[in-house]
Amino acid sequence: MKTKSFVLMLLLMAALQVAAQREKTTFQTSSQWKPTTDVRADVVMVYGANDHPERTFRQRVQSWRDHGYTTHFMTGIAWGGYQDYFTGQWDGRPHMDEGQRTRQGDTIMHGPSVPYIVPTLNYLRYLCERHIRPAIDAGIDALFLEEPEFWMRGGYSEAFKREWRDYYGFDWRPQHASAENMYLSNHLKYHLYYRALDSVFTYAKRYGRERGMNVRCYVPTHSLINYAQWGIVSPEASLASLESCDGYIAQVWTGTSRAANFFQGRHRERVFETAFLEYGCMESMTRLTGRKMFFLTDPIEDGVVDWDDYRRNYQATFTAQLLYPTVADYEVMPWPDRIYERLYRVSGKSEEQSLIPRPYSTQMQVMINALGQMPVSRNRVSGQQGFSVLMANSIMFQQPIEGLRDSCLSNFFGLTLPLVKRGIPVGITHLENVGFEDTWRDVSVLLMSYAHMKPLQPEAHEHIARWVKDGGTLVYCGRDDDAFQHISQWWNKGGFHYEAPSQHLFALMNMPETPADGHYRFGRGHIYVLRTNPCEFAANAELESLLLDVLKNAAGGLQTKNNYMLRRGPYLMAAVVDEGAVSDEPLLLNGRFIDLFDPSLPIVGEKVVMPGEQAFLLDLDKVSHRRRPQVLAAASRQENELVGRRSFSFVARSPLNTDNVMRILLPREPKTIQTTTASTHQWDAGSHTLLLRFENDPEGVHVQIHW
């Protein structure tokens, strides 16, 4: 009986692993299946429950199921194809007054006739009945409600004024009139979308149970960093307390990561560095929950640029996501229709337009098919560990007051870029999560400032003080002189009489309430105070050196370099930062590699990574089961693999109008190669790999190899 139970347990574990594999990669589209967009991920998120002229919602879903996809559902929670709600078709009353409005009275629009919504309870009922229920009725058990977004410049509609009265118990106040009004306004926006997600997810799970289904609910959301830069309020880290939430998609891509910032007084795009911090912000936000996290990249972006720009920045964001070894689930792209079927400029120097160049589509498909094999790893990205920067959701509450807005988020980047640019992989600690013991795991030096955010509760300070007392090192930066220090909040009422929230923290650590620059002790820990706002570190290299000197003392030295590397199974990722904070030397990697950023999949013995560039390599010496025939890299997904004594066969599938290139490991040089379409091949004796090329076909190209 014990043996039988053990076997059953193994079978169950295997089944669960297979199920998990089926949901490792995903993408979103509002279209039906098409041969030109059949990207062969595990899952497709069918967008929107409305019927289209050419297909109903159910027909769109079924078209993907007919081609072997698991189907999930995605729609926006702050906007979407909800015209029947705004026109009054749904309940007989128009609701355009529920759009988010600016001070000038303009409705903030996501597109023609699609406003960003104030999520009233009536709107949430509509969303559940008109969009969530049909998705569940179609047999879909995973829902993705994306982008819970309230614009900071909004907050003037009649619907928002009604919500203000219900929430605060007093009449609406215009946010532009004072810092306190702005803080209250943005805090309410934050609450409204937390309530919205909780309400819709709770309904979905309850309705699913009535149908005998276990409905899972996910939030695709930009990073806190990006929302603060773009002037948007969203629940972010507080979603950890949302019991009805099962996971997230980290919506990070070129469009978010190219938002310019300051480093040593220079204002420019830093796509790799910003993406690295954005993914880190999302990973740390959810690490403690055990929930599923998908990382998103996009081979293009919302802005119309050119194919050269898209490819260069895609490589930067793609590498950045892979440097987080505990995340191994991916949204491989949004909107494949615009990637494969739209014209963009060939380069920044040409007005010529084309569909996606075939070398780029080949490279992209190699990359996304590698994501389907990407393992979780216990390895860490190279560099000195232990540094973390404190963030809080209230970073979204302090904008946009005229003269105070930090649109470049310099108070954040002033603490992070000095480390990132020196090859030190700084982490992010969310103030909302400091009560979790695991938050502090691997954090030895915490950088914080209240120049750009404020603590929502005093209990957070008790946890920070306890961590310091037990041996942690805190570096506090800032003069605490911004207007938001003096708004009416917990630190100056209800028994507290502090002029700034930091004074409460310092008092807990037996320090002067307004300490001067210097080094202080508390228990077994250390506190370093630097009375400089972090934005000044971003603006001035000399002031940045003051921060670096303090960090050197706090950590007992800084181990700097100009690059990052990480191994995950056979994969090796590397990035070299530019701007010469440490060095302008390239990184040299020696070994036997397949270059996965090169659409010809060459075997290279030395890879040179220049400053500002990245590398994605498959190390042939780290491949498992090297005696077994296997596809190592391909611009297609392989199915029905069969290994014989002297043969290897499979079916390769990928979108129409794209070229396949694949490296296949074989025990010896093949005698015959048969494909159901025209192909060329080349044998590399040194690596025992076959390079095979042919035109892709979503119906499948059959490959038969004999040796």
Side-chain angles (χ1 to χ4, degrees):
M1 288 297 293
K2 289 184 178 180
T3 302
K4 184 177 180 181
S5 298
F6 182 70
V7 170
L8 289 173
M9 183 184 72
L10 290 178
L11 290 172
L12 177 60
M13 290 175 63
L16 291 172
Q17 288 175 349
V18 170
Q21 176 67 20
R22 287 202 303 269
E23 296 186 4
K24 183 176 176 62
T25 57
T26 185
F27 66 98
Q28 66 192 67
T29 179
S30 60
S31 298
Q32 70 277 8
W33 179 90
K34 290 182 289 185
T36 51
T37 57
D38 187 6
V39 300
R40 304 316 302 172
D42 301 316
V43 178
V44 59
M45 295 176 286
V46 180
Y47 203 99
N50 291 332
D51 293 337
H52 292 181
E54 69 280 8
R55 280 211 177 37
T56 66
F57 168 65
R58 288 198 174 212
Q59 287 172 334
R60 283 190 288 137
V61 170
Q62 191 59 45
S63 73
W64 291 100
R65 288 175 176 166
D66 289 343
H67 288 85
Y69 284 86
T70 297
T71 52
H72 292 170
F73 175 71
M74 178 184 278
T75 193
I77 192 167
W79 49 268
Y82 309 144
Q83 288 83 354
D84 56 337
Y85 179 73
F86 296 112
T87 61
Q89 182 180 346
W90 179 64
D91 63 355
R93 293 185 294 113
H95 296 285
M96 282 302 293
D97 66 320
E98 294 180 23
Q100 299 174 24
R101 288 188 184 175
T102 67
R103 181 182 175 186
Q104 292 73 31
D106 300 321
T107 299
I108 302 173
M109 306 295 287
H110 184 268
S113 71
V114 181
Y116 281 90
I117 190 75
V118 177
T120 64
L121 294 177
N122 189 60
Y123 163 73
L124 298 178
R125 282 192 292 271
Y126 158 81
L127 193 63
C128 291
E129 295 177 15
R130 179 65 182 79
H131 296 269
I132 304 303
R133 181 184 292 177
I136 297 173
D137 287 344
I140 292 174
D141 64 358
L143 309 177
F144 292 76
L145 292 186
E146 74 160 334
E147 299 182 348
E149 298 172 347
F150 208 126
W151 286 89
M152 293 177 186
R153 69 179 187 273
Y156 292 86
S157 68
E158 292 304 313
F160 185 75
K161 293 175 183 179
R162 292 192 293 269
E163 294 290 348
W164 179 296
R165 176 71 188 183
D166 290 343
Y167 186 68
Y168 288 118
F170 54 83
D171 289 340
W172 172 83
R173 299 173 182 173
Q175 63 187 39
H176 64 272
S178 69
E180 182 165 328
N181 289 0
M182 177 58 68
Y183 196 89
L184 292 173
S185 181
N186 287 335
H187 191 283
L188 174 57
K189 298 166 190 174
Y190 160 87
H191 159 75
L192 289 175
Y193 271 106
Y194 183 93
R195 181 187 72 178
L197 289 168
D198 190 28
S199 176
V200 177
F201 285 171
T202 299
Y203 169 85
K205 287 180 176 294
R206 183 177 64 248
Y207 184 67
R209 285 193 297 270
E210 293 173 0
R211 297 290 308 272
M213 299 167 62
N214 175 30
V215 174
R216 294 160 294 148
C217 300
Y218 300 87
V219 184
T221 175
H222 298 206
S223 72
L224 176 57
I225 297 168
N226 176 253
Y227 277 150
Q229 280 185 289
W230 282 7
I232 296 173
V233 179
S234 192
E236 290 296 311
S238 291
L239 296 176
S241 65
L242 197 63
E243 292 184 3
S244 56
C245 178
D246 295 290
Y248 315 84
I249 296 177
Q251 294 180 315
V252 180
W253 75 99
T254 300
T256 64
S257 300
R258 76 184 321 155
N261 47 44
F262 281 94
F263 172 68
Q264 295 186 342
R266 296 186 295 271
H267 184 248
R268 51 162 277 200
E269 293 180 6
R270 296 177 173 89
V271 175
F272 167 76
E273 293 87 344
T274 304
F276 180 76
L277 290 167
E278 284 198 83
Y279 287 118
C281 183
M282 294 295 294
E283 186 272 343
S284 63
M285 183 179 88
T286 59
R287 183 192 314 139
L288 307 171
T289 67
R291 295 171 180 169
K292 187 163 186 171
M293 169 66 81
F294 294 89
F295 276 177
L296 163 72
T297 48
D298 191 345
I300 63 170
E301 64 152 312
D302 297 346
V304 178
V305 194
D306 60 77
W307 288 115
D308 279 351
D309 182 278
Y310 292 150
R311 180 187 55 79
R312 183 174 62 254
N313 289 312
Y314 178 46
Q315 291 178 178
T317 55
F318 187 91
T319 305
Q321 74 169 346
L322 293 180
L323 295 179
Y324 289 91
T326 61
V327 176
D329 299 299
Y330 303 96
E331 181 177 354
V332 299
M333 66 178 71
W335 315 121
D337 306 73
R338 72 177 185 178
I339 295 169
Y340 287 103
E341 299 179 341
R342 290 189 190 175
L343 298 171
Y344 299 96
R345 285 188 300 155
V346 174
S347 72
K349 298 179 181 180
S350 172
E351 293 302 317
E352 178 189 356
Q353 292 190 329
S354 75
L355 294 173
I356 185 169
R358 289 221 173 185
Y360 185 30
S361 62
T362 298
Q363 175 189 347
M364 176 188 70
Q365 288 161 194
V366 167
M367 293 161 65
I368 66 175
N369 282 289
L371 293 179
Q373 310 301 319
M374 188 61 57
V376 170
S377 175
R378 293 183 179 180
N379 294 338
R380 293 185 177 184
V381 63
S382 63
Q384 186 175 358
Q385 304 289 321
F387 289 96
S388 192
V389 171
L390 193 69
M391 287 195 78
N393 285 336
S394 60
I395 199 171
M396 299 177 290
F397 299 174
Q398 297 195 186
Q399 302 186 57
I401 296 291
E402 186 175 352
L404 294 179
R405 184 174 181 191
D406 177 17
S407 61
C408 294
L409 214 60
S410 290
N411 279 310
F412 170 76
F413 287 110
L415 293 177
T416 50
L417 284 180
L419 294 170
V420 173
K421 282 291 189 179
R422 290 169 174 84
I424 298 173
V426 60
I428 291 175
T429 297
H430 290 269
L431 190 60
E432 291 78 8
N433 294 340
V434 293
F436 294 96
E437 184 177 348
D438 279 355
T439 294
W440 301 105
R441 189 182 59 202
D442 302 327
V443 178
S444 55
V445 178
L446 180 68
L447 291 79
M448 70 175 291
S449 177
Y450 282 148
H452 55 307
M453 63 189 194
K454 303 294 178 285
L456 297 184
Q457 302 290 339
E459 289 77 15
H461 286 166
E462 297 174 6
H463 297 296
I464 295 173
R466 186 178 304 115
W467 171 76
V468 172
K469 187 176 183 180
D470 290 341
T473 297
L474 177 68
V475 178
Y476 186 89
C477 304
R479 287 190 292 272
D480 296 334
D481 58 356
D482 62 273
F484 290 92
Q485 303 283 346
H486 309 298
I487 63 176
S488 177
Q489 285 294 314
W490 65 262
W491 58 86
N492 53 36
K493 62 183 184 181
F496 293 123
H497 304 284
Y498 297 106
E499 295 181 359
S502 65
Q503 293 181 1
H504 175 254
L505 174 61
F506 293 140
L508 289 176
M509 296 187 295
N510 298 332
M511 296 169 58
E513 290 182 4
T514 309
D517 285 21
H519 173 216
Y520 301 82
R521 294 294 305 270
F522 179 54
R524 293 187 285 115
H526 301 261
I527 305 99
Y528 291 84
V529 176
L530 195 53
R531 286 302 188 184
T532 305
N533 287 333
C535 61
E536 298 171 65
F537 305 141
N540 186 296
E542 291 185 8
L543 288 175
E544 182 198 46
S545 67
L546 295 178
L547 174 65
L548 293 171
D549 287 341
V550 169
L551 294 179
K552 188 180 299 184
N553 290 330
L558 293 180
Q559 302 163 25
T560 62
K561 52 185 174 58
N562 73 338
N563 61 77
Y564 296 90
M565 289 190 295
L566 176 68
R567 288 187 179 273
R568 300 176 65 161
Y571 298 103
L572 174 61
M573 286 66 67
V576 180
V577 295
D578 59 5
E579 300 186 272
V582 174
S583 168
D584 285 322
E585 292 296 314
L587 175 66
L588 303 180
L589 300 171
N590 294 297
R592 293 193 310 148
F593 306 117
I594 302 174
D595 190 340
L596 301 179
F597 279 164
D598 188 325
S600 65
L601 293 183
I603 304 293
V604 296
E606 180 183 75
K607 178 66 179 179
V608 180
V609 190
M610 300 299 294
E613 295 182 353
Q614 304 81 35
F616 182 36
L617 308 170
L618 189 145
D619 189 337
L620 289 166
D621 295 326
K622 300 294 184 181
V623 172
S624 300
H625 310 294
R626 292 167 63 183
R627 295 181 179 272
R628 187 185 70 193
Q630 56 187 292
V631 177
L632 298 176
S636 61
R637 181 165 181 167
Q638 283 58 251
E639 301 173 358
N640 302 328
E641 292 186 345
L642 293 174
V643 177
R645 188 168 172 223
R646 295 182 179 273
S647 66
F648 180 41
S649 65
F650 55 85
V651 178
R653 301 182 191 274
S654 216
L656 197 65
N657 303 325
T658 65
D659 295 327
N660 198 357
V661 60
M662 55 198 335
R663 279 273 175 197
I664 307 169
L665 182 66
L666 297 172
R668 56 180 60 90
E669 183 176 2
K671 292 181 179 179
T672 62
I673 301 168
Q674 297 173 306
T675 58
T676 52
T677 188
S679 64
T680 62
H681 65 271
Q682 182 179 350
W683 175 251
D684 184 82
S687 64
H688 270 243
T689 61
L690 175 71
L691 185 67
L692 185 62
R693 297 185 181 92
F694 51 82
E695 178 121 349
N696 276 314
D697 186 341
E699 295 302 319
V701 174
H702 294 253
V703 178
Q704 182 86 32
I705 303 169
H706 293 268
W707 55 87

